[in-house]
Amino acid sequence: MAKLKIIKKSNEFNKIFARGRSVADDRFVLIARKTGTDSIRFGFSVSKKVGKAIARNKVKRLLKEVCRLDIQIFVPGYDYMIIARKGSADCEFKDIKLRMLRLVYRLRKKI
């Protein structure tokens, strides 16, 4: 399994926020922005509203694992930003995976 390409610079996050297409449910927001390359990169944002550091890190680990295992559902040539909302710390792996599949499906209709 290949390692995910992670977005870490704030100016790259800002570009995705400014020019990306988004879909959301009650726990997550998925934003995609076309890059012009064939790679897929991911950015994760989990605010303090989600919980303390342990809960936030758990959510990030689960999101990264879902993206790593199901990378084929994401369209190449886009940067993806996943924002965890309040209450996402209560989600288990299966729930996060199902929610991400639904969000990607809805996002593919928009892009």
Side-chain angles (χ1 to χ4, degrees):
M1 301 276 172
K3 189 174 179 180
L4 288 179
K5 294 180 182 177
I6 305 294
I7 300 167
K8 293 185 179 179
K9 294 184 180 179
S10 64
N11 64 343
E12 292 176 345
F13 276 90
N14 292 337
K15 286 179 185 177
I16 296 171
F17 282 125
R19 298 186 192 104
R21 299 268 181 160
S22 68
V23 292
D25 66 5
D26 60 329
R27 302 287 168 98
F28 299 101
V29 179
L30 177 63
I31 306 171
R33 178 180 171 268
K34 192 164 183 69
T35 60
T37 63
D38 288 336
S39 65
I40 300 173
R41 298 187 314 162
F42 294 95
F44 302 95
S45 176
V46 183
S47 74
K48 289 186 179 181
K49 292 179 183 179
V50 172
K52 301 217 180 224
I54 294 170
R56 294 193 309 267
N57 290 334
K58 180 183 175 187
V59 170
K60 281 190 269 188
R61 281 195 312 270
L62 291 173
L63 285 170
K64 286 178 185 179
E65 188 65 9
V66 167
C67 293
R68 186 183 69 82
L69 292 176
D70 292 335
I71 197 157
Q72 70 276 3
I73 66 170
F74 294 94
V75 180
Y78 284 85
D79 285 346
Y80 294 93
M81 171 65 111
I82 302 169
I83 303 168
R85 289 183 168 172
K86 191 174 182 179
S88 59
D90 301 331
C91 295
E92 294 183 10
F93 181 79
K94 291 179 188 177
D95 189 30
I96 292 174
K97 185 173 182 173
L98 182 62
R99 287 175 181 274
M100 291 310 302
L101 288 171
R102 287 181 186 153
L103 288 175
V104 170
Y105 177 74
R106 286 177 41 209
L107 185 67
R108 284 182 140 198
K109 291 181 181 179
K110 284 184 147 184
I111 57 176

